[in-house]
Amino acid sequence: MMTERQLIQEILNSEAIEYHFENVDEDSKEYTLLLKRLDKDVRPVEELNEEIKHYFKSADFDYNEELHPKDVDADIRLTIKR
């Protein structure tokens, strides 16, 4: 059985996106990630966000996103909780 973190990584690897865990709270099963499109990815951030949201909702995660966060070098700041 996969851990939540492994499942998150599996989902994001399937999208071919650069990601970093910004905050991990294993106790509450809440994770904040910074997502960034790869250089050759021409999809709009909104489209990419919808694709990723679909996968996480299917995996029964609560999904909250911030597009184009101002304080970090990322396209999406994503907070998910299971």
Side-chain angles (χ1 to χ4, degrees):
M1 178 146 165
M2 276 199 271
T3 66
E4 258 112 15
R5 193 173 180 140
Q6 288 170 320
L7 179 57
I8 291 165
Q9 291 171 314
E10 183 82 13
I11 290 170
L12 293 174
N13 287 340
S14 72
E15 274 296 319
I17 189 165
E18 185 181 315
Y19 63 91
H20 303 284
F21 285 88
E22 184 180 43
N23 185 36
V24 174
D25 186 343
E26 297 282 359
D27 293 335
S28 70
K29 299 183 190 280
E30 183 171 301
Y31 306 85
T32 305
L33 297 104
L34 299 175
L35 311 180
K36 190 171 181 179
R37 289 175 295 177
L38 300 175
D39 290 341
K40 300 205 182 306
D41 193 342
V42 296
R43 293 174 291 180
V45 172
E46 294 76 12
E47 179 183 322
L48 180 60
N49 181 55
E50 287 303 315
E51 289 176 19
I52 294 169
K53 184 187 293 190
H54 170 77
Y55 287 118
F56 280 113
K57 293 275 187 190
S58 295
D60 205 26
F61 280 92
D62 287 332
Y63 185 103
N64 291 299
E65 74 273 38
E66 178 187 351
L67 302 184
H68 309 290
K70 301 242 182 290
D71 56 338
V72 292
D73 181 23
D75 292 316
I76 303 169
R77 176 181 276 132
L78 167 62
T79 304
I80 51 176
K81 185 175 174 129
R82 196 154 194 204

